[in-house]
Amino acid sequence: MNKIFALGLLLLSCFVAIGQNQPNDCADAITICGNGSFSSNATGPGDTQEISSCGGFESNSIWLKVNIVQTGTLGFDLIPDDPSLVVDYDFWVFPANAVCGSLGSPIRCCTTNPLAAGLSNNHTGMYGSTTITQSGPGANGNGYVRWLNVTAGQSYYIAIDRPSGSGGFQINWTGTATTGTGAFPTPPTANDLGEVRTCSTTPNIGIFDLGALRPQINADQVNNTITFHATNADAVDGVSPLGNIISNTSNPQQIFARVVNNSSGCFTVTDFTLVVYPVPNVTVSASQSVVCPGQSFNITFSGTPNANFHYSINGGSPQSAILNAGGNFVLPQTISANTTYSLIDASIVNSSGVVVCSQTLNGSVTVNLSTPLTVGASTNSPICANQDGIIVLNGSANASVQYTIQGNPATQNVVLDATGGATITLPSLTSNTNYTIISVTDPNAPFCVFPINFQDTINVSPIPQVTAPQPMEVCAPGFGIFDLDSNNAAISGGNTGYTITYHFTQADAQNDTASLTSPYQSISANQTVYVRVESASNGGCVSYTTLNLVTSQSPTVSPATPLEECADNFDGYAYFDLTPAGVEILNGQSGLTITYHSTQAAAEFGVNPITDPTNYHSILGTVYASVVQTGTTTNCRSVVPIQLIVHPRPAIPVMTSYELCDDDTDGLQVFDLTSKDLEATGGDTTLTTEYYLNSTD
């Protein structure tokens, strides 16, 4: 506790006790050793009325004595504890070295009434700002008189009367005599003990050994005397000392110790507090039982105020702390693993650190670190363009997962279901798509957020570019046989990285089942097969198309009679009109188209037709008629050979003239030309001879 001093100066109250009487007579004056606060039991004028001057007298007095040890000027400010102007304190200072019983007239006195004088405060005293030596009574003066010129070795008696008000006051010494070592003898030391403690099983009642405290208050027990008092007034007056062993009367209880210098008579009053504590107890609790990584929390120890205690963390070395006056100690914490805080003991110690009482404790509290949550992610990557991207999450049931798609600053959340699963669908992706799993939030208190920062990409591959093939057509009397694989290059555009298969149904093509073997025999005249085109290098992306298989029967035709012509000269060539053969081939059928070709291959494919079939120049051989249904693109043809026969022109010998004599004069004569047949044919009976009047015939 603090000594009862004020104004931040030397702040020591040092007095000497003349006896056990109250200091309201000169003989019982208190010896002053410095500035200080006064609180006395003294009341009334004492046993003897010793003052009659300055218009005043003793009514409620306190007598002081000062012994001067340093020459100089000496004044003081006397300040009542109660600042009210109705509180009026007077004083008288008697000549140097005066003795009680023959004090003589006062050399300084002040009986000014502050209220009557219209003063701003009720202070009084001596200072160097005035020359008057007496002030008062009543409204006269300002409460101050001239200070003293003092010499070392002198002593002065000062009587302070309290005609209005009976409380304590402060007296602060001024002047040159107070500089340096001061105007008065050095007061004895009185150490501050603060709080003196004991423990008791009886609430608020304990036994204290005051005698054992004397060496702590002042170690010099030879030159100083220490007494203990229940009030400051008793200590100042030096009356009603307490015994060495006492029981407190309140909890806490203030005790005043008076330390008297046996030589100078100066004394110092200090105070301390008696406090009775129960046998100390401490409990421990945590602000949270489960915390997130890096999260701060408090461990609170509560119990007996000011108790010292020890605790351990996870069974480690003991650590110490002290509960505050409210009985609490808060330990801020962050942990990286489950942690247990265990109490070891609690104690009450005195100001010297000596244990007054203690007990062993066994309380504990455990704070668990929230188990980190993880999130697994899988996708259907790689996928094909325009296919939905699927992200499948798995983790703890009902946890919330935060994620972003394609670096979009806006985050999204999905809550895992009761099985810990969730699906994120990204519809119709056309390019590679990145996603990031940012964090997962525990659905249970304290709802920890655990960073994940997992990144992955759904790779999107282009689907194969395909071209629908032209229908395949074959001629057959029943169902056709088709080389399906011959369409691969046209379908894929020549891309050899595609795998092409043909299927009976669209479902088979989509499921890549029951592929058809090439060559394939159709099951109907007009059949559609389903084509699956898969890119092995692009994640198995697939495109689909169809192929129409057309089976047609060849037109029904008749054979052609060979065409015969004589060579137009002796080179073996003749001119043929092929159309009569065509009439014979079509045999009167309509809806058919016939073309003529120099080779069978050309006729089979309907290419390179003879441009003028009515005047075809050829040697002995065969030409071919190609017959198709009129208006169709089918290559289903009937091909009929037409034999061309070229007869060589006979060699006609040079015939002799056929002469007859004109039997009359008309110049005309009848000739028998047949007579020249044998000569014309050279005797070849296979030749027939015809005769014409001119070459043009």
Side-chain angles (χ1 to χ4, degrees), residues 1 31 73 118 164 202 307 311 331 393 476 641 666:
M1 300 300 288
T31 300
T73 58
S164 178
T202 301
Y311 65 96
L331 181 67
L393 304 178
D666 58 5

Side-chain angles (χ1 to χ4, degrees), residues 185-202:
T186 301
T189 298
N191 294 321
D192 184 358
L193 299 187
E195 188 175 277
V196 176
R197 301 170 178 174
T198 190
C199 296
S200 174
T201 57
T202 301

Side-chain angles (χ1 to χ4, degrees), residues 13 118 168 188 259 267 400 479 602 676:
S13 297
V259 182
F267 69 90
S400 177
F479 301 126
K676 297 297 283 183

Side-chain angles (χ1 to χ4, degrees), residues 45 49 58 69 136 144 228 242 355 380 426-427 444 485 507 599 603 661:
Q49 179 64 249
E58 286 186 84
V69 297
Y144 279 84
F228 300 96
L242 300 173
V355 174
N380 59 341
L426 309 178
N444 302 309
D485 292 340
T599 66
C661 293

